[in-house]
Every structure is written in structure tokens, then in C-alpha cells.
Amino acid sequence: MQWFAQFFSRRHRYDDISVSIQEHMENRIEELMDDGISRKQAEQEARREFGNVALIEQRSREVWQWPALESIVADLKFTFRRLRTSPGFTATVLLTLAIGIGANTAIFSVLNSILLKPLPYPNSEQLVSLWLNAPGAGGLANFSNGLQLSSSMYLTFSQHNRTFETMGIWTPGTASVTGVAKPEEVRTEIVSDGVLETLKVPPVAGRWLSEVDQDPHGRKSVVLSYGYWQRRFGGDRNVIGRPIQVDAQTREVVGVMPRGFRLVDRDFDLLIPLALDRTNQKLAGFGFYGIARLKPGIAIAQADADIARLIPVWMDSWSNGPGTNPHFYETWRITPSLRSLKQQIIGGVSSMLWVVMATVGLVMLIACTNVANLLLVRAESRHQELSIRAALGAGRMRIARELMIESISLGLLGGVLAIVVAFVGLRLLVATGPVDLPRLSELSLDARSLGLTLALSILSGLFFGSIPAMRYARTQTSAMMGGGNRTASAGRARQHSRNVLVIAQVAMALVLLISALLMIRTFAALHRVEPGFADPQHLQTMHIWIPDLLVSDPQVVTHVQNNIADKIAAIPGVTSVGFAGSVPMENIDPNWDQIRVEGKNYEGGEPPLRLFNFVSPAYFNAMGTRFVAGHDFTWADIYDLRPKVIVSENFARESWGSASSAIGKRLRQFSNTPWQEVIGVVEDVRVHGVDEKAPAIVYWPAMINDPYTPKPTIDAPRFVTFAIRSNRAGTESFLNQVQQAVWSVNASLPLASVNTMQEIYSQSLARTSFTLVMLALAGAMALALSLVGIYGVISYAVSQRTREIGIRLALGAQKNLLRWMFVRSALVLTGVGIAVGLGAAAALMQLMKTLLFGISPLDPLTFFAVPVVLATAAAIASYLPARRAAGVDPVEALKAQ
């Protein structure tokens, strides 16, 4: 650290040099005076002998100096002193950079956390998601992105595979927990042996679920999530070994998973062992998510081949019961479709994130061009100062370096503020972002994000600083001293750089505005789509789960649900109540199977797969779903198990040609089950969201004979969603009354997922809304920055041409013509920018096709409206300085020049 000490002790050393020189001079003067010379003559003689004192002092000081470093430090001091004297300029530039760099840092942090970071599991690159393709299963592709695993598949694959270290399956669900506090419905994941071993995340307390826990006849156990452990047990480590009641069954807590642990992309409260009974497994039952860890060095293609080898083994090892053909699934042409777990989690969000990243990147470029324009103006204002410095010997590089130091300093200061902007932006994103955005909880500013901030700060400083630096470094001293302000031609020459920047700004703003308007039109198109239900803000929904250990008889389950509906219907303000297995857009995995229509022959002899749901009487009335033909179920239909069914309009149309033709027709699920008569046809419902095609659906009554058991057995859905139509939906008093109504029927039943249909509907559009908001913000910022740029250019032109304006006015020029001259100048720049931007937008919008709905990427209205709006705004922005130019007093203008 000696150099550091020397650096800061230089002032003391410089003083020592001056003192030593002074002492030397005094000694010589005294010697000369001793020789009889007067003091005045002695001082003159001593100075002559010694030489130039200042030069010797300077050369002595240079022994301890780092000239380059000290020169840069001096430039920095000068830069900061100059910035302090221009607080308006400094604040404008720093705010612009903070927003531009901060927005880029925030979006990059999202992109980094979701797309670039590895998953939070050890050696996550070895993890794969187990999916299958079944192109021969007609209709499957309409409502699923692949075929999930059945339990028998898992048993076959895990036992005979050669390419996986571990493998497991799971399925989400809900459960009622009692005895801890008030009855509560919690999120569960029912996991097989191998799931936690595959993820390799150790518990924070206790242990994983082991093979012993998977014994269907063994003890019952459960693992808690960190959040549930904190919420219900206050983080008490003595919870291990404690019994809790889950669905009226006693389970022992054996472990707690750490904070932030998610089962792939799902939050949960409890992990419950699947406990498969091998003796009761069938080929069917394709409802399990699968995960596996590849052996080291094994590629996904090798694992695909391994699973392909095992599919015939699976069909040879299991069946769907006596008399069934286990090789029926050969018609489905099942093939493996393994994908990396990261790819599975990210899904289709990557294109949206890259579009948003490109958008804020354009805003950053526009911000830089604006700052470059400001620096050009600032350099113009320092023209005289720079000219004098050049005349005194400052070289071009010296002036350019000083300008670059100023711009890089601004960039770095803006970067510091940008970190604050990015941090706040990320907090807002986490709080308001779409909940289906993968890895949302992992969003954070890390070293990579901060590195990007530093890089952007330096690069932006280099970018917007290089333009004025090159502009003035190239200028000859004579030209600088020539006082270019005197002629209009010189002024126009200096305007050239700024005009180019404005054209670039307009072009980029046009691209962003077209993107934003296309997303707005997409959003409007989505809102025009009939979702299949009405007035969602006045529709209350809630889940109720009745475990079989609480109510074992399915008929009693239906009676309990019926009683709950009656109690709720008696609440003031309720106009209709019904329930179903699920309501649209809930993201609950749908039920599906083959549906056979009487009298219809199918290619290959097998009917296509279709979605089905279970509904109660009045459900469609509560939802606001119209009957196109026929009528609803009655409770007598339900309790008498009458063979009746309701279908959607799409199902009726594809099966019988029209809705009216469907009434009285019959269908069934299996060849050995009774025919069901179609008594009603309802309008199509967008089950998976308004941007997805409405599927063909069959609605079974809320209680039926179970088609999956060899003997007639009554079955009723235990997990249902109630739909309650009321003007009081969503209010606290109403929800309290609903809760009391449910508990008046059974005090052990919890309410869960209490939302209005409007909330569910809005959530289904959350990703589109997020993209729309991002693009709209970027477009608005781009428009504002571009208008500021245009305004700045015209204002500067007016200030540079004041003398010319004065002469024109003195010679009788019309003020209207003067105003039009400046507005026309702005419109020419805008027109060139629009022409460039239209070409770029036409090319870039092809990348946004997947984000659009009901609108063409080259939508003529959008491509016409945005340039008109931009040109109009540019005309307004230029009119203000143009009006100021027309108001110039010719006498004062000539005097001032």
C-alpha cells in the first residue's frame, strides 16, 4: 500500500520541495551578501543561477506522479464539478439511464432466473420429465400436450429400465386437515417411492418418505412443506413423530422439506405416499406426472429408446381386467417423449420473455440516443470553452477523453440508480406477475444481473459519449474558433448527427408502439370471445372435498353436497347454486375417456377421446351457460340414477350435425355400460382459456354408476367446485355466510380456493396481461422519449437559427410560413423514421405471432394507425418551438447575435 500512501502524501512532499528550494535560495543570497552585494542584487543573482524555480518544482514533483492517472483524476474532478453546476441536465440524464438500465436489469433478472439458471436441484441437468405421445388416441391432442403415465407404466419402467438412476410419479390433490386448527383444505402431492430420491433435496427436519411408507397396508405418514410447518406448527422441530388428521385418517409427520422446495413447479402443503398396491393396478389410469434422473453420461435419446423398448413389456405385464385386450393400446401408437425437466417447467414462456427483453432493450437504445442528443447540445454549449482549450494546446484525444469520461461517469452513476429501479421493479413483478409464470418465487438480483448492469452502464456511456466525442475530436481548431453560430449552414451541419439520432428514435418507437397495439388488440379480441359463462364478477366459486373416511357412502356424499347447495341458496342475494367436478379455467386436469355415440361407426372401431365433467342441477344456470337445446338435470334424475346426459354444442355438432338433432340420442362410455340419453345441449365452454378452442364435452350427472367397476357401483365426485350466483359475490359478509352454511351441514368440511369467477378468468389471462403491460409501458416510454427528442432537435434548431429568423422576419417573412418551416422539418425526420420503422416492424412482428390471438402480425389497421399517431404527436411536439421561433423580435434577435 506504499503507492497509496505516497499518492495521498504528495501535497506534503510538494511543500517540502518548495521549502527546500526556498532554503537553498536564501543560503545563496546570504553568501552573495557576504561578498558585499546588496540583497536585491543577491536575490537577482541567486535566481539567475538557480534557473526557473516553477519548472524545477514541476519536474521534481513529476518524480512522484503518475501523469496519466492524475490527469484522469483531474478530469473526473472537473466532470463532477461541471455536473454539479448543471443539476437539471444531470438529473435528466441520470433518470433516463436509471429507467433504461433498470428496466433491462429487471427483465434480464427474470429471464436469468427462469431460463438461464439451473433448477434448484443437485445435478439438475440429469432430470427429465416423463411424457408419452399417443397420436393414435383420437382427440387426445385437442386437450393435452401429451400422455401422462399410468401407475402400471411406472411399475414397469422403474423395474426394467437401464438408463435411469431413480424414477417416480406423483399426482396433485387436496386434503382436509383437522385437529390442528379449524378444518382446512390443503394442497397435497401424492408421491410414489423415488420422487424425492430423484430430486435429491434433503429435508430440513426428519426424513424423506421411504419404501416403508409406500406399503398400502403399513403405517400412514406425511411430509410437511416448510410453509405449512411454519404456518401451522410455528417451525417446531418436535413436530416429527406427531400425528395429524388428514382426510379423517391419522398420519405421522416424518419430515419437513426445506424453504423454497417445490415439487417441480408446484407448491404444496403435504407430501403423501402413493402406496400403490401392485395387485390392483391396470393398464389405464394415465393421470400421473413422471420424473426421473438419468444415469451419468446417458442422453435423453437413449432414455427414449429404453422406454420405447419397455412399452410392449408394459402391455404384456398388465391388463384392464378380464376379457380386455391388453394390446389395444397399440392402436394409440404410444411412443416416449421425454424432455428435460427445465424445458418442462419453462414451457412456452421463453418466447414471451425474449420479446419483453427485446422490447426493453429497444427502450434502452432510445434512452441512449436521447442522452447522446443531450450531450451533443451540451458540447455545443461548451463550444467556446473547447475552442480555447484546443488553442492552448489540448489535443483532439485529450478533448475526446474528457467527453468520454463525462459520459462514462454518467453511465456508471445511472447504473447505480438502475439497481434501485431494478430491485423495486422485481419486487413489483413478484407481487403482481402472473402466478403461472414458472420459477416466479426464484426471481432475484444476482451477480449475473449486477454484471449486466455494469456492462450496460459502461457500454451506454461509451455509446452516447462517442458521438459528441468523435464529432468534436474531428473538428479543426480553426473551425472551432470560427464561431459556427454565425451561419445557418454551420448550424445545419451540427444538426446532422442529432437528426440521425431522432430518426433512429422514431423508428424504434414505431416498432414498440406497433408491438403494444397488436397486444392491445389481442387482449381486446380475447375479451370479445364468449367464454361459455356470464357475468363472472357476480359468480362465487369454492372447492369442497369430502373424504371417504369422513363420508364413505357416495349417495350420502351427494346428499351432503345437495344440502350444502340448499343452505347456500337460502342466503339473501343468492339467485342460483350448483356444483361440478371443476369450473372452466381452473387449471385442474380434466377427466377424459372414449365416448361412444349410438349408431356411429368409428375408424379402427374405437371412438375418440373426449373430456367429461360431473354437474349438478342448476350448475349451468349459476354459471350463466346457455342451453342451446333441451333442458337441465333434476335432483330426481340424480338420485334415481336415470341414464341421462348433457353434451356441449361442439359434441352435438360433431356427433349428430346440430344441437337440436342431439336431443333424444344416446351415448355411453364403454360397450358394457348402459346407453345414456341426451336431454340437453349447452353452449360451448372455453375450458382451458379464451385463447384455446372450446372442446367437445360430455356432462354426466353428479351421481352415476361407476363404469370402471365390473359390478354396478354408485359413484359420486368427492371433490367439487360450487358455483354461486349472487350480487354479493366476493364480499366478506357473504363469504362468512357461505362458510356458516357449509358448516351447518358438516362442521368438518373446509372451504378452499374461494374466488370469484372474474378472478379465475383474469388469472387465465394473466400471462397475456403481463406481456401487454410490459409492451405498453415500453411503447409509452419510447413514444415519450421520441417526442422529447423531436422537441429537443427543433428547439435547438430554433436557438441556432435565431439570427436567420430575425432577418427573415425583418424582410417580411410570414409567421405561419416560419412555423410550418420548423414543423415540416420535424415531419421529414419523423417520416424517414417511420419508413425505417415500418420495415423493421414487419420483420420483427413475425417473432410475436405466437403471442397474438385473432389478429395478424401485419394487421393493416395497426400499421396505419401507429404512424399517423406518431406523426401527429411529432407535429405537436415540434409546434411549440416553432411557435416560439415565429414570436422572435427581429430587432432583439439581431442585437443578440
Side-chain angles (χ1 to χ4, degrees):
M1 299 297 288
Q2 187 177 3
W3 67 271
F4 187 79
Q6 287 180 354
F7 186 83
F8 287 98
S9 63
R10 285 176 302 132
R11 176 59 59 191
H12 180 69
R13 290 173 180 270
Y14 294 166
D15 292 341
D16 288 346
I17 291 174
S18 299
V19 170
S20 298
I21 292 175
Q22 193 59 42
E23 288 176 352
H24 175 80
M25 293 286 291
E26 286 296 330
N27 291 335
R28 182 58 183 157
I29 291 171
E30 289 177 1
E31 288 175 1
L32 292 173
M33 289 176 66
D34 291 342
D35 293 339
I37 302 177
S38 67
R39 181 169 183 85
K40 184 176 180 181
Q41 289 177 325
E43 286 177 354
Q44 292 174 346
E45 181 62 20
R47 287 197 181 93
R48 187 185 61 76
E49 291 178 358
F50 191 81
N52 189 330
V53 174
L55 180 62
I56 292 173
E57 283 184 349
Q58 178 63 31
R59 288 177 177 173
S60 300
R61 290 169 184 166
E62 288 176 357
V63 174
W64 295 306
Q65 281 185 342
W66 295 273
L69 177 62
E70 296 204 353
S71 177
I72 291 174
V73 171
D75 284 348
L76 278 172
K77 288 181 180 177
F78 185 56
T79 295
F80 285 115
R81 193 182 310 129
R82 205 167 48 242
L83 292 178
R84 280 200 304 273
T85 60
S86 308
F89 165 82
T90 306
T92 303
V93 172
L94 292 184
L95 185 62
T96 303
L97 291 177
I99 293 174
I101 299 174
N104 276 270
T105 302
I107 297 302
F108 176 78
S109 298
V110 175
L111 196 141
N112 177 43
S113 299
I114 295 176
L115 302 184
L116 304 182
K117 274 186 180 177
L119 297 177
Y121 308 112
N123 301 319
S124 60
E125 70 281 357
Q126 292 178 261
L127 297 175
V128 293
S129 182
L130 303 177
W131 284 86
L132 303 166
N133 282 330
L140 183 65
N142 289 336
F143 52 81
S144 174
N145 60 356
L147 183 67
Q148 292 174 299
L149 270 61
S150 67
S151 54
S152 58
M153 276 179 168
Y154 159 66
L155 293 172
T156 303
F157 296 167
S158 61
Q159 183 177 355
H160 299 288
N161 83 84
R162 301 168 183 166
T163 52
F164 302 105
E165 283 186 354
T166 52
M167 176 187 293
I169 57 173
W170 81 93
T171 184
T174 59
S176 298
V177 175
T178 54
V180 178
K182 66 180 182 180
E184 180 185 14
E185 184 175 290
V186 298
R187 298 163 298 175
T188 63
E189 299 293 340
I190 303 172
V191 300
S192 74
D193 189 26
V195 169
L196 296 177
E197 290 83 349
T198 298
L199 296 177
K200 285 188 174 179
V201 176
V204 71
R207 60 172 176 81
W208 287 335
L209 295 170
S210 67
E211 192 173 349
V212 176
D213 301 304
Q214 300 293 343
D215 181 356
H217 308 295
R219 63 180 181 179
K220 307 303 179 187
S221 53
V222 66
V223 169
L224 310 181
S225 72
Y226 187 90
Y228 189 76
W229 179 46
Q230 294 291 327
R231 189 171 76 245
R232 283 288 172 247
F233 300 98
D236 182 7
R237 287 185 172 271
N238 293 325
V239 73
I240 304 300
R242 179 173 169 178
I244 62 173
Q245 294 292 312
V246 181
D247 284 345
Q249 188 173 53
T250 302
R251 289 183 177 273
E252 178 187 345
V253 178
V254 298
V256 179
M257 296 308 290
R259 183 200 296 268
F261 174 80
R262 304 182 80 199
L263 186 57
V264 183
D265 59 344
R266 306 182 75 95
D267 281 325
F268 63 92
D269 296 307
L270 305 179
L271 292 178
I272 297 174
L274 181 57
L276 290 172
D277 184 353
R278 295 182 65 92
T279 60
N280 292 327
Q281 301 309 311
K282 296 180 179 179
L283 284 165
F286 307 95
F288 291 95
Y289 295 99
I291 187 175
R293 181 174 287 274
L294 296 170
K295 290 180 178 177
I298 297 296
I300 289 181
Q302 293 171 281
D304 266 340
D306 193 20
I307 293 296
R309 176 183 64 82
L310 294 176
I311 289 174
V313 177
W314 164 68
M315 284 188 280
D316 290 337
S317 305
W318 309 90
S319 75
N320 282 329
T324 59
N325 176 15
H327 287 269
F328 155 76
Y329 293 105
E330 289 176 355
T331 62
W332 283 20
R333 304 195 299 278
I334 297 175
T335 56
S337 179
L338 275 58
R339 59 199 73 162
S340 74
L341 189 63
K342 189 174 181 181
Q343 179 189 354
Q344 172 66 28
I345 291 176
I346 292 171
V349 76
S350 58
S351 57
M352 182 266 286
L353 287 179
W354 283 116
V355 166
V356 173
M357 186 75 222
T359 300
V360 294
L362 279 180
V363 172
M364 181 70 206
L365 280 177
I366 295 174
C368 284
T369 53
N370 242 4
V371 174
N373 256 338
L374 287 173
L375 288 178
L376 277 171
V377 172
R378 184 173 170 81
E380 285 291 342
S381 67
R382 296 175 58 197
H383 189 268
Q384 203 66 27
E385 171 205 336
L386 296 175
S387 301
I388 293 172
R389 295 181 64 180
L392 293 177
R396 297 178 186 178
M397 292 304 297
R398 182 71 178 80
I399 293 176
R401 191 187 73 184
E402 184 188 322
L403 293 172
M404 291 301 299
I405 285 176
E406 182 181 72
S407 62
I408 293 175
S409 299
L410 285 169
L412 291 173
L413 289 173
V416 173
L417 295 177
I419 293 174
V420 179
V421 173
F423 178 78
V424 174
L426 272 183
R427 296 290 297 269
L428 285 175
L429 277 176
V430 172
T432 62
V435 294
D436 61 342
L437 193 66
R439 310 180 72 182
L440 184 64
S441 59
E442 300 176 34
L443 300 188
S444 64
L445 279 175
D446 61 5
R448 190 181 287 177
S449 301
L450 295 178
L452 177 83
T453 306
L454 178 63
L456 283 178
S457 302
I458 296 174
L459 289 175
S460 60
L462 290 172
F463 172 72
F464 59 69
S466 61
I467 297 173
M470 288 189 294
R471 173 76 178 82
Y472 286 93
R474 283 201 304 263
T475 306
Q476 296 292 332
T477 304
S478 56
M480 296 174 75
M481 294 295 290
N485 290 337
R486 291 291 176 185
T487 64
S489 59
R492 283 194 293 272
R494 287 196 295 273
Q495 280 282 101
H496 180 71
S497 300
R498 307 191 68 209
N499 291 346
V500 172
L501 293 176
V502 167
I503 290 171
Q505 279 185 316
V506 171
M508 289 186 282
L510 184 90
V511 173
L512 292 180
L513 288 172
I514 286 178
S515 306
L517 187 55
L518 285 176
M519 285 306 299
I520 290 171
R521 299 203 67 200
T522 290
F523 205 64
L526 289 173
H527 275 279
R528 287 194 298 271
V529 173
E530 290 288 340
F533 50 84
D535 196 15
Q537 65 270 29
H538 294 134
L539 184 57
Q540 186 72 56
T541 68
M542 62 177 183
H543 293 167
I544 288 185
W545 161 248
I546 304 176
D548 53 0
L549 290 178
L550 186 65
V551 180
S552 59
D553 188 343
Q555 296 187 67
V556 178
V557 169
T558 303
H559 277 286
V560 170
Q561 294 163 341
N562 188 358
N563 290 338
I564 291 173
D566 290 342
K567 292 287 185 183
I568 294 174
I571 297 174
V574 174
T575 57
S576 185
V577 184
F579 60 86
S582 63
V583 296
M585 305 178 191
E586 275 195 301
N587 282 330
I588 293 179
D589 290 336
N591 296 307
W592 52 267
D593 213 327
Q594 292 178 326
I595 303 295
R596 301 165 187 273
V597 173
E598 187 179 31
K600 192 163 186 176
N601 296 319
Y602 297 99
E603 183 178 352
E606 296 296 335
L609 299 167
R610 289 292 176 261
L611 295 184
F612 62 81
N613 197 356
F614 298 92
V615 300
S616 75
Y619 166 74
F620 293 114
N621 188 33
M623 291 294 294
T625 304
R626 291 180 296 105
F627 270 88
V628 181
H631 57 83
D632 199 355
F633 296 124
T634 65
W635 280 111
D637 294 333
I638 303 290
Y639 291 125
D640 294 344
L641 296 175
R642 294 171 183 167
K644 296 181 177 179
V645 67
I646 296 172
V647 299
S648 71
E649 195 172 1
N650 269 344
F651 189 93
R653 194 177 298 113
E654 72 175 22
S655 299
W656 299 288
S658 68
S660 57
S661 303
I663 303 301
K665 300 296 191 302
R666 301 196 301 175
L667 57 84
R668 62 184 177 186
Q669 196 164 348
F670 299 118
S671 57
N672 58 350
T673 55
W675 290 105
Q676 309 278 118
E677 179 188 355
V678 177
I679 63 168
V681 178
V682 294
E683 66 174 309
D684 292 323
V685 177
R686 305 267 178 165
V687 175
H688 304 296
V690 290
D691 57 341
E692 297 283 343
K693 183 182 176 184
I697 308 177
V698 172
Y699 298 97
W700 304 116
M703 187 171 69
I704 60 171
N705 279 315
D706 189 348
Y708 297 102
T709 57
K711 295 180 181 179
T713 306
I714 295 177
D715 189 26
R718 294 176 176 275
F719 176 89
V720 296
T721 304
F722 274 80
I724 309 165
R725 175 71 61 183
S726 172
N727 288 332
R728 298 171 58 204
T731 63
E732 185 175 352
S733 62
F734 180 69
L735 295 179
N736 287 335
Q737 288 181 293
V738 170
Q739 189 175 54
Q740 293 304 319
V742 173
W743 287 352
S744 69
V745 177
N746 190 319
S748 298
L749 294 178
L751 281 65
S753 302
V754 181
N755 296 299
T756 65
M757 198 62 205
Q758 181 64 50
E759 292 169 328
I760 297 174
Y761 177 76
S762 300
Q763 193 56 54
S764 72
L765 294 174
R767 191 175 293 187
T768 304
S769 303
F770 175 75
T771 310
L772 168 65
V773 169
M774 291 293 107
L775 289 178
L777 284 175
M781 284 192 288
L783 179 62
L785 290 171
S786 300
L787 295 183
V788 168
I790 291 170
Y791 177 85
V793 165
I794 300 303
S795 293
Y796 180 72
V798 169
S799 67
Q800 293 297 301
R801 300 173 67 180
T802 302
R803 185 167 182 269
E804 174 196 342
I805 294 168
I807 294 173
R808 285 174 179 263
L809 290 171
L811 295 176
Q814 297 294 316
K815 291 187 176 182
N816 287 340
L817 293 178
L818 276 176
R819 280 195 289 268
W820 170 242
M821 181 176 71
F822 287 104
V823 172
R824 182 182 59 196
S825 172
L827 290 178
V828 168
L829 294 178
T830 305
V832 176
I834 287 174
V836 175
L838 283 175
L844 292 175
M845 289 311 105
Q846 301 302 317
L847 302 177
M848 285 186 58
K849 278 195 294 189
T850 57
L851 300 177
L852 304 179
F853 176 84
I855 194 80
S856 165
L858 301 177
D859 175 51
L861 179 60
T862 302
F863 275 71
F864 172 76
V866 170
V868 169
V869 170
L870 196 53
T872 304
I876 295 172
S878 60
Y879 178 77
L880 298 177
R883 189 177 65 176
R884 190 169 67 245
V888 167
D889 183 340
V891 177
E892 295 298 325
L894 293 173
K895 281 182 180 177
Q897 298 294 316

